[in-house]
Amino acid sequence: MAEGDDNMPRDAKIVKSLLKSMGVEDYETGVLHQFLELWYRYVVDVLTDAQVYSEHASKSTIDCEDIKLAIQSKVNFSFSQPPPREVLLELSRSRNRIPLPKVIASPGIALPPEQDALLGPNYQLLIPKRSALAMEETEDEETADPSTSQQQRTDLPQQTPQRVAFPLLKRPKREMF
């Protein structure tokens, strides 16, 4: 071991030997501290979960089964297994059966169609539709007092919104030099 290893805590020595066994020789001292912090945090999380499991089982102390269950739940929660190789092969076969679209030779950079580019403006406006009841009230008010201003008529409650979408217009292509 190196000169400073005598004053080093046992856990730091273990982390240092693990790094050395993986072929990592050159690293900053902060790396040891980060690994130790990660290690301690993981142990605290596992022991906290084991304590919860022990209390749920109405046990007075934490036993080995509680710790195993806590570790297993951490592994299941933190890491996900990839699908089996057969499933991936079948998915790739089915996807590769669909041919790619033909590339049309044109000057400049080949871009996807405008509807697939996600660069053009896309507006959707909601225009409230007046209900039949509100329309009747408006007609009654117009017949009763013809001097009612347009502003007062538009302040009526509007209940049913109507969705309106505007199609995107294609821009004329510019000639490239």
Side-chain angles (χ1 to χ4, degrees), residues 12-80:
K13 289 179 185 177
I14 292 171
V15 170
K16 190 172 182 177
S17 67
L18 285 171
L19 287 172
K20 188 174 182 179
S21 71
M22 292 187 299
V24 179
E25 297 290 333
D26 188 27
Y27 53 87
E28 294 183 17
T29 55
V31 172
L32 288 176
H33 298 292
Q34 290 294 321
F35 274 120
L36 286 173
E37 183 179 343
L38 180 69
W39 185 2
Y40 293 153
R41 188 178 299 161
Y42 179 78
V43 169
V44 167
D45 287 346
V46 167
L47 290 176
T48 303
D49 290 349
Q51 183 178 12
V52 168
Y53 296 145
S54 177
E55 289 173 0
H56 180 73
S58 301
K59 296 187 237 175
S60 59
T61 59
I62 298 173
D63 60 5
C64 187
E65 296 301 318
D66 297 326
I67 293 175
K68 285 181 183 177
L69 182 61
I71 290 172
Q72 187 62 41
S73 69
K74 280 268 184 238
V75 167
N76 290 343
F77 181 72
S78 300
F79 305 106
S80 62

Side-chain angles (χ1 to χ4, degrees), residues 112-131:
E114 191 171 330
Q115 66 267 18
D116 296 335
L118 299 176
L119 298 175
N122 183 9
Y123 299 102
Q124 290 186 348
L125 301 176
L126 290 177
I127 298 176
K129 184 179 178 183
R130 293 184 182 178
S131 66

Side-chain angles (χ1 to χ4, degrees), residues 6-7 37 40 75 83 91 96 109 113 143 161 174:
D6 295 337
N7 300 346
E37 183 179 343
Y40 293 153
V75 167
L91 284 173
N96 289 335
I109 300 172
T143 56
R174 295 189 302 189

Side-chain angles (χ1 to χ4, degrees), residues 56-167:
H56 180 73
S58 301
K59 296 187 237 175
S60 59
T61 59
I62 298 173
D63 60 5
C64 187
E65 296 301 318
D66 297 326
I67 293 175
K68 285 181 183 177
L69 182 61
I71 290 172
Q72 187 62 41
S73 69
K74 280 268 184 238
V75 167
N76 290 343
F77 181 72
S78 300
F79 305 106
S80 62
Q81 298 295 324
R85 187 169 194 264
E86 295 80 25
V87 172
L88 291 176
L89 285 173
E90 182 57 35
L91 284 173
S92 65
R93 281 188 206 108
S94 66
R95 184 65 181 162
N96 289 335
R97 284 186 194 121
I98 303 169
L100 292 174
K102 301 288 184 196
V103 177
I104 300 171
S106 61
I109 300 172
L111 295 175
E114 191 171 330
Q115 66 267 18
D116 296 335
L118 299 176
L119 298 175
N122 183 9
Y123 299 102
Q124 290 186 348
L125 301 176
L126 290 177
I127 298 176
K129 184 179 178 183
R130 293 184 182 178
S131 66
L133 179 61
M135 292 296 286
E136 289 175 8
E137 290 176 3
T138 306
E139 290 173 2
D140 291 341
E141 289 176 5
E142 287 176 359
T143 56
D145 185 14
S147 64
T148 307
S149 70
Q150 180 68 24
Q151 178 65 27
Q152 290 173 338
R153 281 186 254 142
T154 57
D155 290 341
L156 294 173
Q158 301 166 345
Q159 300 167 351
T160 311
Q162 178 184 1
R163 186 173 293 264
V164 176
F166 296 97

